[in-house]
Amino acid sequence: MNKVGLSIIIPVFNEEKGIESTVDSLGKVISSLGYKSEVIFIDDGSFDQTAKKLQDRISDRQGMVIIRHSQNLGYGA
């Protein structure tokens, strides 16, 4: 375990319908690789329940964090 560091950045916007399964699937894949990793979700001003569902799903997962924009700023931000 802890071969190499792996950073994954995932931009999300109004993804409440699929964010939980995305987190679960990603967690399984990462753990099977054996890399020390971090996953950064960038919530780009979602106005649905994306942020809440995401926070609830990652609250007990080490190495997963959310950065939240108060308004939609686009991919460049």
Side-chain angles (χ1 to χ4, degrees):
M1 188 83 147
N2 296 335
K3 298 176 187 174
V4 188
L6 176 66
S7 295
I8 301 170
I9 300 171
I10 302 178
V12 296
F13 178 71
N14 292 339
E15 300 289 341
E16 71 179 352
K17 292 181 182 175
I19 196 64
E20 294 165 317
S21 63
T22 298
V23 170
D24 293 344
S25 296
L26 186 59
K28 288 177 186 175
V29 170
I30 289 172
S31 65
S32 73
L33 295 174
Y35 292 105
K36 179 178 179 185
S37 65
E38 65 178 349
V39 180
I40 303 167
F41 293 92
I42 310 291
D43 179 7
D44 195 20
S46 296
F47 50 83
D48 64 0
Q49 294 296 308
T50 298
K52 181 181 181 338
K53 287 185 173 192
L54 185 55
Q55 184 60 54
D56 290 347
R57 193 55 124 216
I58 70 166
S59 64
D60 63 343
R61 295 178 188 255
Q62 188 174 2
M64 291 189 178
V65 298
I66 304 169
I67 295 174
R68 189 159 200 283
H69 296 165
S70 59
Q71 63 184 23
N72 185 271
L73 301 173
Y75 281 111

